[in-house]
Amino acid sequence: MLLIHPVRTLPSFLLPLAGVLFVGGFSITSYVWALAGLGVAVLFALVRWATFTYVIVGDRLETRRSLISSSVRTIPLERVRGVDVSTPPMHRLLGLAVVKIDTGASGGDEEAELDGVTLAEAERLRAVLLRRARTADNAAHSATHQAAHADARHPPSAAPTTSAASAASAAHAPAGPSQHVVMRVPRAWLVYGPLSGSYLLTPFALAGGAVGLAVQWGNDLGLGRDAAFSAGEWLWGHPYLLLVVALLLVVAMPFAGGLMYAVFTWDFVLLHRDGYLVAERGLINRRSVSLESRRVRGYEVVEGLAERWAGVCRVWAIVTGLGDSETRGQLLPVVPRATATQVTADAIGPYQAELRPHPPVARNRRLFRAVFPWLVLAATAAAGLWLTGTALWWFLLAPALLLAAVGVPLGLDRYASLGHGYDGTRLSVRSGSLRRSQAVVEQRAVVGWRVRQTWFQRRAGVYTVTAGVGAGKGGYSAVDVSGEQAAGLPAEVTPSWLSPFLTDHPDRTTTQP
């Protein structure tokens, strides 16, 4: 860690050290000051390493840090939702790992991170923390159950004794985790990576970063803004060079995107280990994410337009109390749709019903929103062309008409993607076209309903029904449903919530519909 911490903070020291060397004219004094700065970084790493400790005491984890002021963070093991183990490049070279303990908090301040433990210690900690977390949680449920059903003949002190005995027996149970592989993604499927579009802009991001770095180093090297303006004028005078660079970046998009996708999802494995779904992935930084199976409430299948054409999709788990669910909740990378359906059915549960279509007015709304804005832009360009006769208006009119024409199939596809359904166990809603998302949520996860109408929806007579879920994004919506569907979906999924309002009360003489 005395090596990792200084190297990790080195990028923030590069510019100050370079400034010291340039200002000092690369003299002996400037080198002394630069070495002194590196020495301070190593000293800080030494103090940070020597003043951090962690310990598992009973039913809690305590981390202590005494860098400037002493601080103690206590995490009850029953709050542990998952333990992630990652091995960044330098950690892997030195046989170390980073253990991050997820407590279900929305921010990182409530989580503990043990940076620099050995690989063996990381695996031991994961097994101990997850096993004890389940033991503490089960003991709490057992104590609550016994307290609720205790016989009057038994004294109140008997319940804690029984609970402690069950917790002790669970704690001494065999520690060896049982696991089986749910899905191992073949490396050949890495070719699907660029279809997601997530990494396609990598060449442009790298080019922008290189330009920003060049500007920063240019200022430090004394080139000033005049050199930057001169380079810009020269490039402006050679537009074909800019065009070639842009074309090269476009051509590099699928290759760079595929490379970045492979780096992050290399050897993706989904395991079922001792009551947890464990996803392991990564080439340079190998990461292992654990999700408690009994807290999984469903899954979300996401497909981009290119992914739908290729018949592939991505899957995220909908989990209660999961922080950073966009990253930690991924169940599957880009895989064939049939494989995703089989894996989610085996690991979480199948959805066994057809999605119900939404009313035709929903199709009209999507066509209107996909076509009308471009028609307005085309009409504006046509008016400008008629009034001024300037040919430049054609550069606005032609793309607007083209986009309006493309909007027709796009609007129809957005309508075809709408749907919702309920199979008696799980609720499903789907929407989107360029990024189509279908969420499948267990009925027990629904904690509330929200029915709303915008001004335009009121004129069209449609509604948006959102199922409030204490997991994932917090709510999943069926968009532009009819009035009958808006009333029928909550009544079908959670009928017991509405029955008090639909049955006659003994003290009432009339029943209101």
Side-chain angles (χ1 to χ4, degrees):
M1 293 308 295
L2 302 184
L3 175 64
I4 291 176
H5 277 303
V7 172
R8 182 181 296 171
T9 57
L10 188 60
S12 60
F13 281 97
L14 280 178
L15 293 181
L17 290 177
V20 168
L21 292 176
F22 282 113
V23 171
F26 295 93
S27 63
I28 297 178
T29 304
S30 63
Y31 281 109
V32 170
W33 281 107
L35 291 175
L38 293 177
V40 169
V42 175
L43 179 62
F44 178 79
L46 174 62
V47 174
R48 181 175 181 176
W49 171 80
T51 57
F52 179 80
T53 58
Y54 64 91
V55 62
I56 299 177
V57 182
D59 60 349
R60 66 187 185 277
L61 168 70
E62 291 184 358
T63 61
R64 299 175 181 268
R65 185 176 296 279
S66 305
L67 184 58
I68 297 178
S69 61
S70 178
S71 64
V72 179
R73 175 174 293 174
T74 301
I75 298 178
L77 295 185
E78 63 181 10
R79 294 293 304 276
V80 175
R81 299 292 180 262
V83 178
D84 299 351
V85 178
S86 61
T87 55
M90 288 197 65
H91 289 69
R92 182 180 296 184
L93 291 175
L94 299 174
L96 302 178
V98 180
V99 178
K100 186 175 181 181
I101 300 155
D102 180 26
T103 60
S106 58
D109 294 339
E110 299 299 328
E111 299 178 346
E113 183 178 272
L114 309 180
D115 190 357
V117 300
T118 63
L119 292 174
E121 174 69 359
E123 291 301 325
R124 188 190 74 85
L125 280 171
R126 173 160 58 183
V128 169
L129 290 173
L130 293 181
R131 186 173 67 251
R132 292 197 180 184
R134 293 188 66 188
T135 301
D137 207 358
N138 292 336
H141 283 290
S142 176
T144 303
H145 178 77
Q146 290 177 9
H149 298 84
D151 192 271
R153 296 171 298 176
H154 292 76
S157 59
T161 304
T162 307
S163 176
S166 62
S169 62
H172 290 85
S178 60
Q179 72 173 29
H180 71 273
V181 177
V182 179
M183 174 66 185
R184 187 182 298 274
V185 177
R187 294 179 181 176
W189 289 359
L190 293 175
V191 297
Y192 296 136
L195 297 177
S196 66
S198 303
Y199 303 101
L200 290 181
L201 296 180
T202 300
F204 293 93
L206 293 177
V211 171
L213 186 62
V215 171
Q216 291 183 0
W217 278 97
N219 292 331
D220 292 332
L221 293 174
L223 298 178
R225 294 184 178 180
D226 293 337
F229 283 127
S230 299
E233 291 177 355
W234 184 82
L235 288 174
W236 185 259
H238 298 77
Y240 294 105
L241 181 60
L242 289 175
L243 181 61
V244 170
V245 171
L247 290 177
L248 289 176
L249 291 176
V250 171
V251 171
M253 287 173 64
F255 300 100
L259 178 62
M260 294 297 295
Y261 175 80
V263 167
F264 286 105
T265 61
W266 185 263
D267 281 347
F268 191 102
V269 182
L270 181 64
L271 308 169
H272 202 288
R273 176 189 297 162
D274 198 22
Y276 285 81
L277 286 173
V278 182
E280 298 180 353
R281 64 182 181 272
L283 178 62
I284 298 177
N285 182 8
R286 189 70 180 171
R287 186 177 184 184
S288 175
V289 179
S290 302
L291 305 174
E292 192 173 359
S293 298
R294 65 179 186 146
R295 298 187 185 276
V296 177
R297 296 294 183 261
Y299 53 90
E300 185 176 9
V301 180
V302 177
E303 305 163 291
L305 191 59
E307 292 173 313
R308 289 166 54 194
W309 288 340
V312 296
C313 63
R314 294 160 284 157
V315 182
W316 274 264
I318 300 175
V319 188
T320 60
L322 180 65
D324 191 19
S325 59
E326 286 294 328
T327 302
R328 300 187 64 249
Q330 187 176 22
L331 275 184
L332 290 174
V334 184
V335 299
R337 180 62 187 259
T339 302
T341 302
Q342 179 181 354
V343 170
T344 52
D346 294 340
I348 300 175
Y351 174 74
Q352 301 174 329
E354 294 291 334
L355 294 181
R356 303 162 191 172
H358 291 194
V361 67
R363 178 188 59 220
N364 300 337
R365 281 170 49 80
R366 268 136 195 82
L367 286 172
F368 180 82
R369 288 187 292 182
V371 175
F372 182 73
W374 303 116
L375 290 180
V376 172
L377 185 60
T380 303
L385 180 64
W386 180 69
L387 293 175
T388 63
T390 306
L392 290 176
W393 287 105
W394 281 106
F395 292 96
L396 182 61
L397 178 60
L401 291 175
L402 178 62
L403 291 173
V406 172
V408 174
L410 179 62
L412 294 175
D413 184 70
R414 290 183 62 195
Y415 171 71
S417 298
L418 290 179
H420 68 277
Y422 181 62
D423 65 356
T425 304
R426 293 174 179 86
L427 165 72
S428 180
V429 294
R430 188 179 68 186
S431 62
S433 178
L434 299 179
R435 183 184 184 275
R436 189 169 74 176
S437 173
Q438 179 177 358
V440 177
V441 183
E442 294 180 351
Q443 186 271 345
R444 60 173 179 155
V446 178
V447 296
W449 294 94
R450 180 187 181 192
V451 181
R452 65 182 180 89
Q453 277 184 309
T454 64
W455 184 82
F456 294 102
Q457 284 181 318
R458 288 200 301 270
R459 293 182 61 86
V462 291
Y463 301 78
T464 295
V465 180
T466 302
V469 179
K473 298 178 180 177
Y476 297 91
S477 300
V479 184
D480 284 354
V481 297
S482 65
E484 182 180 355
Q485 291 173 332
L489 183 61
E492 181 182 12
V493 178
T494 54
S496 60
W497 296 4
L498 302 180
S499 58
F501 303 97
L502 301 177
T503 58
D504 196 7
H505 194 276
D507 295 336
R508 295 176 183 164
T509 56
T510 59
T511 302
Q512 293 290 339

